[in-house]
Amino acid sequence: RVSSDGKPPKFQPPPKPVIIDRKTRKEERRFLSPEFIPPRGRTDPLKYYIERKDMIQRRKVFNIPEFYVGSVLAVTTADPFASDKSKRFVGICIQRGGKGLGATFVLRNVIEDQGVEICYELYSPRIQAIEVLKLEKRLDENLTYLRDALPEYSTFDVNMKPVPRMDQEEIPVNKLQVRMKPKPWSKRWERPKYNIKGIKFELPEHKMKAAQKWSQPWLEFDMLREYDTSKIEEKIRKELSEELEK
Amino acid sequence: SITGACRAIQKLTRVRVVDNSALGNTPYHRPPKCIHVYNKTGVGKVGDKILLAIKGEKKKALIVGQKMPGPTMTPRFDSNNVVLIEDNGNPIGTRIKTPIPYTLRRREGEFSKVLAIARNFV
């Protein structure tokens, strides 16, 4: 570079920083709550559309965070019979059921050696706050087998601090294999109908083989049971993103 | 053998006594069983009084927790819990460690003494 004679070199501004906008990438893979997906049936889609409008109205006023079965939540509800008119319950989400406004989730915790489960309705006006203390997934969609597992797997500290989580797209999957109490259990979890991967079965080999007698390997190929939700999900996602931006 | 299916409390259900009374905590070769439910239907839910047979004696008790799922937002316990009571409503024990549902507070008049000895509420 040749400097000009006698004068200081011309001021070169520093190169502009390249800003990679990650927001557009995030919106592509957003989480869609399972209660928005309508069940398979012959009801008029207008009914689900109206319900979704009500659900979006509620979500605008009250924030329902993203959570999965297996994450630890703390829920504060309004109760006229509690001190300070509100009560807080911490627990692990065992199952999420129901579609539309009646969507529920069950939280389980063991307090003073007593297992307690509470079924909350997501869109109930009595709920004042939902906090996700630990966001993670487990190997199964339904953790009802925790009732027959050793109580240490369902105990969570009531004053647990929320686990800090960076705004990544990956949700950690906890591959914990739970140890069970001795049989009898409330349901025969070793049977292939439940398809549970999160239990460490310490049963003898012949019992595990005998349980496979009830397997129905033709079920996964049954075409009448297929329900492809990808297109419905995309439509609902578009609808949601439009309505929530208003 | 343990019956898993029937969840609300009726005649001949085995219950778990939850307070720290001597009658409820001393071991006996037979578990405490319900012999009568003071209800129009014979099915007892949380907040109902029942008659219990413990250690060869009859004693009244109050149901504080049941395995059967109730209305949403109410807790469901893993065992049928019961607190021993006198005929006039006074509890026999002095402390209840296990959590008790808030819905019992609705009937503060009848159960005030039981609620006074309870430590945790759910």
Side-chain angles (χ1 to χ4, degrees), chain A residues 43-55:
Chain A
T43 20
D44 203 350
L46 180 68
K47 176 203 168 197
Y48 300 119
Y49 176 68
I50 299 174
E51 244 189 333
R52 254 176 280 142
K53 275 175 88 170
D54 283 335
M55 284 151 78

Side-chain angles (χ1 to χ4, degrees), chain A residues 31-233:
Chain A
F31 167 72
L32 182 67
S33 223
E35 70 262 8
F36 280 105
I37 303 165
R40 190 172 71 144
R42 286 168 58 183
T43 20
D44 203 350
L46 180 68
K47 176 203 168 197
Y48 300 119
Y49 176 68
I50 299 174
E51 244 189 333
R52 254 176 280 142
K53 275 175 88 170
D54 283 335
M55 284 151 78
I56 293 165
Q57 267 296 317
R58 173 72 182 157
R59 275 185 186 239
K60 282 187 187 165
V61 177
F62 172 72
N63 170 42
I64 297 174
E66 160 191 356
F67 66 96
Y68 302 90
V69 170
S71 21
V72 183
L73 306 183
V75 177
T76 13
T77 29
D79 197 338
F81 306 109
S83 56
D84 288 340
K85 304 291 176 194
S86 66
K87 54 177 181 174
R88 188 181 138 106
F89 185 73
V90 174
I92 183 171
C93 178
I94 307 185
Q95 66 178 31
R96 288 181 80 161
K99 299 279 177 201
L101 284 168
T104 54
F105 63 102
V106 181
L107 292 185
R108 181 185 163 83
N109 200 349
V110 171
I111 308 174
E112 299 270 350
D113 298 331
Q114 172 72 59
V116 185
E117 290 174 12
I118 308 191
C119 177
Y120 290 105
E121 281 168 350
L122 268 179
Y123 294 96
S124 167
R126 269 173 71 183
I127 296 186
Q128 287 165 345
I130 303 181
E131 255 181 77
V132 175
L133 298 176
K134 193 176 187 193
L135 182 69
E136 64 175 9
K137 275 194 201 183
R138 295 268 212 143
L139 292 167
D140 309 299
E141 292 281 305
N142 207 317
L143 295 180
T144 12
Y145 57 80
L146 286 180
R147 290 175 197 152
D148 296 316
L150 297 172
E152 63 195 28
Y153 294 102
S154 317
T155 23
F156 293 94
D157 185 23
V158 186
N159 305 320
M160 191 166 120
K161 298 232 172 97
V163 168
R165 189 185 154 257
M166 293 209 288
D167 230 0
Q168 298 157 356
E169 287 142 9
E170 311 265 325
I171 303 126
V173 178
N174 192 351
K175 302 203 176 165
L176 176 68
Q177 298 249 300
V178 153
R179 289 185 60 204
M180 306 291 276
K181 291 193 223 169
K183 273 196 150 198
W185 299 329
S186 57
K187 297 229 150 72
R188 294 176 222 239
W189 302 113
E190 74 274 9
R191 296 226 173 146
K193 164 176 152 187
Y194 299 107
N195 195 16
I196 291 182
K197 294 165 196 153
I199 300 185
K200 190 170 183 186
F201 291 111
E202 279 151 9
L203 297 172
E205 276 285 330
H206 66 269
K207 290 217 167 161
M208 297 296 294
K209 272 194 181 172
Q212 292 300 317
K213 229 176 15 170
W214 280 269
S215 70
Q216 296 173 307
W218 56 85
L219 266 189
E220 60 174 310
F221 304 109
D222 196 343
M223 288 176 76
L224 285 181
R225 281 173 208 257
E226 279 172 10
Y227 185 38
D228 189 20
T229 48
S230 45
K231 290 185 185 158
I232 305 172
E233 267 183 43

